[in-house]
């Protein structure tokens, strides 16, 4: 049985806004080829104000597809088209307290139905360019289609890069061989299309996933040339021999820095600079992270945007903490506040 | 919460209390290793022998030693096919059906990919019946092994394995049948057939999970899958799962005792449920072959609604069943069995399997007949395809992504 939240169950057992809207002036009909589900979204939009006055849906699909459709109507009612279009499929999933990774496409279907309905209202035809594929990474719900887009758009040729761009493989890494196969296949296709040199293309079996897992940490933790100490040593806080370079501009600290002897101001600056480095990655997923307070080795941060309510928030905090520890050499503890 | 109604016996059955009781001593005082020389081992060895005889009787095997205990249906299927392939090095083709269990199909596609084995997948018709002409045409001197299930797990459709085995024998191919769903549900008499290998699983016949068996006809060439000790006459290494074996033996004895009940009373329950649902709910139909099928299985496709929704609502009413719908499997793939039968997808997605066992009663059937019409109605009110009973589906053509 799927691990559905109570809210998903509630919205499935007693869906809100289910049925036909006779007065609809905007209708979106979409389906998910992955599982055969289909959704008809019917809206009544005020032509003057473009406010969505009524919304109803009919869905052929599983429990989460019905719940996602119902959640969508709740989210967009009373909003203007502009406001409604800013709703992402993640918002729909968040509204329901999260969806199992295999079921995220149900929320995508809701998002697409809205796009299609608005296009219909404006007398346009909506074309879908969303491609789905086999679910590759179950930890982060990444499918082959997402990997293909990232690989092609960024000319990725290494599994680590795929993880950095899509998160696939960032969890348990049991999907390594699937990622590898997808990457090799797309690279081969890119070579055939003349988009990639044959020598650059990824070949299956050329990387040992075990080394990858070990390597990924310090590398991810230190995108800039920062002298690193193994965490165990950092916790004992031995003097760091080399100056610490931060961000783009090199802030060479006067004295050889012993981690414990860093002033509070230095520490905060370093933390801020490190957060600035991480920020682009969070922003790419629609989230952000602000420094609220530093008290001893406790770093209080506020997660904003898409990070709020995201199932992966604790992982994000863990990742931020790891990077801060690596950058400062302090046994920091990152605590998120609302 | 009403009394639970369990109608998912093709997924697994309740372990019979008599089976549990028979097993218990083999976890405690009877802990010996049957291979040991001393008294601790000897009595356990006797129990294993008795279990083997019990299972041989259920299968109508000529000799007890034709039974090899394994960890379950999947191991038996894998062992059978790999053994047959290895034992016939000059043959490199396999014949199977489109509706086999993944334990067979996944292995065969792996062999196709990694060893270049040619696999002939025989199609089925709308009722799930095997295309016999295609089967005959696929058999040749190159066929190492044929693997066709005795009965299908989703629809209950029974295949004419005795005839199929004779045809395989004519070209010198080994015939294996995955009989996981058939054993214990219908009478089987292997000694009167040409079947070489047969796989079964304990938990499908009120035995424990984690135990199964492979029938290996006397005189068959056989290559073990697991290498190691001499257990099971060198055909399956690894210390015997004695509690499991004793449990399976007991389950086999009980299955033989209840066989009449299974093919009469259980079949009548199934038929009453089917008839009742077809009468009460418009736009639904029975899938599979209504003439030749397991007495316990009903697979009914409810048009224009989706299986997972039905199961969630049934579950809320305390009824356990299963579905061939895409959304209930981890893979999102719709049932390959119903797709092979070319059931339209708006019906295949709403196909529900009710599978009975000797534990079920008339009250269970009444309960489903009471709640199922309301469930279909509720979900159809939500469905963009639904126009009303007997009406053609709504003109609904979504943009598929």
């Amino acid at each position: 049985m799927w691990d559905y939240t109570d809210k998903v169950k509630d919205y499935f057992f007693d869906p809100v806004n289910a049925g036909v809207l006779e007065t609809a002036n905007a209708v979106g009909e979409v389906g998910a080829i992955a599982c055969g589900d289909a959704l008809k979204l019917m809206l009544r939009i005020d032509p003057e104000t473009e406010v969505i006055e009524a919304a109803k849906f009919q869905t052929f699909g599983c429990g989460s597809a019905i719940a996602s459709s119902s959640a969508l109507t709740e989210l967009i009612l009373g909003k203007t088209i502009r406001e409604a279009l800013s709703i992402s499929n993640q918002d729909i999933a968040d509204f329901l307290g999260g969806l199992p990774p295999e079921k995220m496409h149900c929320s995508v279907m809701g998002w697409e139905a809205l796009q299609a309905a608005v296009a219909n209202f404006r007398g346009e035809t909506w074309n879908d360019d969303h491609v789905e594929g086999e679910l590759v990474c179950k930890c982060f719900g990444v499918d082959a289609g997402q990997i293909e887009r990232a690989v092609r758009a960024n000319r990725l040729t290494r599994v680590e890069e795929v993880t950095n761009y899509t998160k696939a493989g960032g969890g348990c890494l049991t999907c390594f061989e699937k990622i590898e196969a997808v990457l090799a296949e797309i690279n081969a296709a890119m070579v055939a299309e003349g988009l990639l040199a044959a020598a650059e293309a990824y070949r299956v079996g050329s990387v040992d996933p075990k080394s990858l897992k070990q390597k990924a940490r310090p590398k991810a933790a230190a995108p800039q040339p920062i002298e690193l100490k193994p965490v165990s040593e950092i916790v004992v806080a031995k003097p760091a021999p080399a100056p610490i370079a931060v961000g783009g501009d090199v802030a060479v600290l006067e004295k050889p820095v012993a981690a414990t002897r860093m002033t509070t101001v230095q520490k905060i600056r370093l933390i801020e600079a490190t957060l600035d480095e991480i920020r682009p990655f969070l922003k790419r997923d629609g989230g952000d992270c602000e420094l609220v307070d530093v008290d001893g080795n406790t770093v209080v941060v506020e997660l904003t945007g898409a990070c709020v309510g995201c199932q992966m928030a604790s992982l994000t905090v863990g990742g931020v903490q790891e990077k801060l520890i690596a950058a400062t050499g302090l046994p920091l503890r990152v605590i998120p506040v609302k | 919460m009403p009394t639970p109604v369990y109608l998912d016996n093709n997924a697994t059955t309740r372990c019979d209390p008599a089976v549990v009781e028979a097993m218990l001593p083999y976890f405690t005082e009877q802990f010996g290793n049957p291979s040991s020389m001393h008294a601790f081992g000897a009595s356990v060895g006797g129990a294993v022998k008795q279990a083997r005889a019990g299972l041989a009787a259920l299968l109508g095997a000529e000799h007890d030693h034709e039974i090899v205990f394994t960890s379950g249906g999947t191991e038996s299927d894998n062992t059978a096919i790999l053994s047959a392939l290895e034992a016939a090095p000059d043959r490199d083709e396999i014949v199977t059906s489109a509706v086999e269990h993944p334990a067979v199909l996944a292995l065969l596609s792996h062999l196709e990919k990694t060893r270049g084995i040619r696999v002939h997948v025989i199609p089925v018709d709308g009722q799930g019946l095997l295309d016999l002409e295609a089967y005959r045409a696929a058999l040749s001197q190159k066929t190492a092994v044929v693997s066709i299930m005795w009965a299908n797990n989703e629809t209950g459709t029974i295949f004419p394995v005795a005839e199929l085995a004779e045809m395989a024998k004519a070209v010198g191919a080994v015939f294996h049948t995955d009989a996981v769903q058939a054993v214990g549900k219908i009478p089987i008499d292997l000694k009167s057939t040409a079947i070489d290998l047969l796989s079964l699983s304990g938990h499908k016949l009120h035995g424990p999970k984690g135990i199964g068996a492979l029938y290996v006809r006397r005189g068959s060439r056989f290559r073990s899958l697991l290498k190691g000790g001499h257990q099971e006459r060198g055909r399956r290494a690894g210390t015997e799962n004695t509690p499991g074996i004793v449990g399976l033996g007991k389950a086999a004895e009980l299955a033989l005792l209840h066989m009449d009940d299974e093919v009469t009373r259980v079949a009548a329950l199934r038929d009453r449920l089917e008839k009742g649902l077809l009468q009460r709910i418009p736009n639904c139909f029975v899938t599979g072959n209504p003439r030749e099928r397991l007495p316990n299985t009903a697979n009914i496709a409810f048009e224009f609604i989706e299986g997972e929704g039905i199961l969630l609502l049934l579950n809320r009413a305390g009824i356990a069943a299963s579905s061939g719908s895409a959304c209930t499997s981890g893979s999102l793939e719709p049932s390959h069995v119903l797709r092979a039968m070319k059931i339209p997808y708006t019906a295949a997605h709403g196909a529900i399997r009710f599978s009975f066992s000797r534990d079920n009663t008339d009250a269970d059937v009444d309960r489903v007949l009471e709640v199922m019409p309301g469930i279909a109605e509720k979900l159809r009110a939500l469905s963009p395809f639904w126009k009303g009973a007997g009406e053609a589906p709504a003109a609904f053509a979504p943009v598929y992504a």
Side-chain angles (χ1 to χ4, degrees), chain B residues 81-91 144 174 220-223:
Chain B
I81 291 167
L82 292 170
S83 163
L85 205 54
E86 196 181 326
D90 50 344
R91 293 169 178 248
V174 171
S220 298
R221 293 181 190 278
F222 187 83
R223 304 287 186 276

Side-chain angles (χ1 to χ4, degrees), chain B residues 8 42-43 46 51 58 73 99 123 140 146-147 168 173 191 204 222 238 288 313-314 330 338 347 387:
Chain B
D8 200 10
S43 61
L58 178 66
V99 295
S140 76
V146 174
S147 186
K191 59 182 171 299
K204 308 282 191 191
F222 187 83
L313 289 164
L314 280 173
L338 299 180
K387 263 285 197 200

Side-chain angles (χ1 to χ4, degrees), chain A residues 1-2 4 12-13 18 29-40 58-63 66 102-103 105 128 130, chain B residues 304-306 308-309 312-313 315-316 326-330 332 345 349 378 381-385 396-401:
Chain A
M1 189 67 92
W2 296 106
Y4 285 141
F12 165 67
F13 285 129
E29 298 182 347
V30 295
I33 209 94
C35 62
D37 287 359
L39 160 60
K40 181 174 182 178
Q58 283 186 306
T59 295
F60 171 81
C62 57
I66 290 172
E102 290 90 343
K103 298 287 192 168
H105 67 267
D128 183 57
H130 168 84
Chain B
F304 313 122
I305 50 179
E306 206 273 339
E308 188 193 299
L312 288 169
L313 289 164
N315 184 52
R316 194 166 68 156
C327 290
T328 56
S329 64
L332 298 178
Y345 90 79
H349 279 272
K378 180 185 164 95
L382 288 176
S383 170
F385 292 107
F396 173 64
V399 178
Y400 279 97

